[in-house]
């Protein structure tokens, strides 16, 4: 059942006139007008503002620019059965917390969202810069009960769905750098990290982590990231409605997961990957430890492996590694 603050916000957002009477809210929630006022005071303390007009009721006039649990819930329309959110102002890592909650027996699916991470991480154990500056840090927990071989293209599939959401919501054209980076002209706006626990021949627990730079201003980046990082707001030229975007993104992730588990993704995966693949036809080098493999991006195979075409015309397949794009001279 939704919390009273979420119900109040949803009613105000859904009202055609923008106004909802206090008596209508009281009837909806089964409480007194005083109870409604108490919950609206709690919302005011979170940064919301309301206008009250006699005989018309309340109108929402301001929402917080930072992530807000009740507002995300109010915007969230598409969710899996039983899906719940765990919300934190600060945490070590959303992936770590999702793993802890899975280990404690929390029913899946659920998501862990944080305004800030103190030890956010990416691939190869690298630190993910995760300050509370208008970005989105979340981990989605599932118990898919699928064979490990079925999950080989999971991160890639989730990546193209996130690109589709960004394209439609922001009117932008992001790209995907295999296997898990969302980029704009070579500058990184997001990353994904999928971690799983395998029990016998099944995936028991699956955590899909996502860090996405949404509203962070360029001047907020540390010096070592300033030339390589970007945000959606920087690309659009204006801040996004962070909570509405977060709700849309959560809904897209849940829909994509369902499609993957049911096998419906196979119909569109190849087309979507070709649409967002920034390596295809580009000179690049794949690193595996100390070894370097130069070539030209040639897409992926059915198992999600990166294909590189060498100068001699041979196709090499890679399941893991780090790719760098070669700079164009001049």
């Amino acid at each position: 059942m939704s919390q009273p603050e979420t119900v109040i916000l949803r009613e105000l957002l859904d009202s055609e006139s923008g106004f909802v009477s206090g008596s209508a809210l009281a009837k909806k929630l089964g409480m007194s007008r005083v109870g409604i006022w108490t919950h609206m005071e709690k919302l005011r303390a979170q940064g919301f503002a309301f206008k009250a007009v006699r005989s018309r009721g309340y109108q929402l006039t301001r929402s917080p620019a930072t992530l807000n649990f009740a507002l995300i819930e109010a915007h969230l329309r598409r969710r899996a059965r039983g899906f719940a959110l765990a919300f934190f102002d600060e945490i070590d890592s959303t992936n770590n917390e999702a793993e802890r909650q899975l280990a404690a027996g929390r029913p899946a699916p659920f998501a862990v969202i944080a305004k800030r991470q103190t030890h956010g991480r990416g691939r190869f154990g690298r630190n993910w810069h995760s300050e509370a500056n208008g970005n989105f840090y979340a981990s989605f927990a599932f118990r898919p009960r699928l064979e490990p071989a079925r999950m080989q293209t999971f991160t890639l599939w989730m990546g193209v769905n996130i690109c589709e959401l960004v394209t439609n919501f922001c009117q932008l054209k992001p790209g995907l750098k295999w296997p898990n980076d969302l980029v704009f002209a070579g500058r990184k706006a997001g990353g994904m990290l999928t971690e799983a626990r395998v029990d016998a021949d099944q995936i028991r627990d699956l955590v899909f982590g996502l860090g996405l730079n949404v509203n962070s201003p360029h001047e907020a980046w540390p010096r070592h990231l300033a030339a390589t990082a970007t945000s959606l707001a920087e690309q659009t030229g204006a801040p996004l409605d962070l909570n509405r975007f977060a709700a849309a993104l959560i809904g897209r992730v849940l829909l994509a997961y369902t499609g993957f588990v049911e096998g419906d993704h196979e119909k569109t995966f190849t087309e979507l990957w070709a649409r967002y693949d920034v390596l295809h036809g580009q000179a690049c080098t794949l690193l595996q430890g100390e070894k370097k493999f130069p070539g030209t991006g040639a897409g992926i195979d059915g198992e999600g492996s990166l294909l590189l075409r060498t100068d001699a015309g041979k196709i090499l397949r890679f399941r893991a590694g780090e790719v760098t794009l070669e700079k164009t001279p001049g």
Side-chain angles (χ1 to χ4, degrees):
M1 181 179 293
S2 297
Q3 296 296 318
E5 287 86 0
T6 297
V7 175
I8 291 170
L9 291 173
R10 187 174 292 143
E11 291 296 307
L12 290 168
L13 291 170
D14 288 349
S15 172
E16 292 184 4
S17 67
F19 286 90
V20 179
S21 70
S23 58
L25 290 172
K27 183 178 180 180
K28 180 78 175 182
L29 285 164
M31 63 177 62
S32 67
R33 293 283 298 273
V34 173
I36 295 298
W37 182 85
T38 300
H39 286 294
M40 295 190 78
E41 285 299 297
K42 291 181 180 180
L43 288 170
R44 286 188 177 94
Q46 296 172 36
F48 292 91
F50 307 94
K51 180 168 70 173
V53 177
R54 185 180 296 276
S55 78
R56 298 192 71 185
Y58 297 101
Q59 182 185 47
L60 178 63
T61 57
R62 186 182 71 235
S63 298
T66 58
L67 286 172
N68 180 274
F69 175 79
L71 190 51
I72 292 174
E73 284 274 20
H75 280 301
L76 189 58
R77 304 300 187 186
R78 181 183 295 150
R79 64 172 73 208
R81 178 176 297 178
F83 175 78
L85 295 177
F87 192 86
F88 296 86
D89 286 333
E90 180 177 295
I91 201 170
D92 57 343
S93 158
T94 57
N95 263 37
N96 287 351
E97 179 62 21
E99 291 166 1
R100 288 190 290 262
Q101 294 198 23
L102 283 168
R106 179 169 187 167
F110 63 87
V112 177
I113 298 175
K115 292 182 180 179
R116 180 177 185 266
Q117 297 181 112
T118 58
H119 292 87
R121 67 181 191 274
R123 293 181 74 215
F124 309 118
R126 291 172 177 158
N127 179 64
W128 182 266
H129 185 73
S130 309
E131 290 303 315
N133 53 5
N135 294 334
F136 182 76
Y137 316 116
S139 295
F140 298 81
F142 305 101
R143 290 194 173 93
R145 304 299 183 188
L146 296 176
E147 296 177 0
R150 282 277 312 275
M151 304 303 294
Q152 292 172 347
T153 59
F154 179 77
T155 302
L156 308 182
W157 167 246
M158 300 305 281
V160 297
N161 273 272
I162 291 166
C163 281
E164 280 281 274
L165 186 278
V166 169
T167 297
N168 295 329
F169 193 99
C170 307
Q171 301 302 302
L172 294 172
K173 182 60 187 298
L176 276 174
K177 185 165 80 72
W178 181 94
N180 68 332
D181 290 345
L182 189 146
V183 297
F184 291 92
R187 294 171 64 194
K188 189 170 180 177
M192 298 164 284
L193 180 65
T194 301
E195 299 177 306
R197 288 195 297 176
V198 180
D199 186 7
D201 59 349
Q202 285 188 331
I203 299 268
R204 179 174 59 182
D205 297 336
L206 180 73
V207 176
F208 172 68
L210 170 65
L212 194 58
N213 305 332
V214 182
N215 284 336
S216 50
H218 183 74
E219 58 271 18
W221 296 112
R223 183 176 300 177
H224 69 284
L225 294 177
T228 58
T230 187
S231 67
L232 301 184
E234 185 177 358
Q235 294 297 315
T236 61
L240 275 67
D241 183 332
L242 182 58
N243 290 286
R244 190 166 69 89
F245 176 80
L249 183 57
I250 292 167
R252 183 76 189 213
V253 168
L254 295 176
L255 185 65
Y257 173 79
T258 300
F260 187 91
V261 170
E262 294 178 355
D264 295 338
H265 70 295
E266 297 174 2
K267 303 172 185 176
T268 56
F269 178 45
T270 302
E271 175 189 345
L272 288 174
W273 183 263
R275 183 181 304 171
Y276 295 108
D277 180 10
V278 299
L279 297 180
H280 193 274
Q282 300 297 312
C284 53
T285 300
L286 184 133
L287 306 177
Q288 283 188 334
E290 298 297 320
K291 294 183 178 180
K292 296 183 178 181
F293 300 89
T296 301
I300 58 174
D301 65 13
E303 296 180 346
S305 299
L306 176 67
L307 303 179
L308 277 187
R309 180 179 289 107
T310 67
D311 290 342
K314 182 179 179 181
I315 295 293
L316 304 178
R317 288 174 169 80
F318 298 92
R319 292 289 303 278
E322 183 174 5
V323 182
T324 57
L325 280 165
E326 296 183 7
K327 293 183 179 180
T328 302

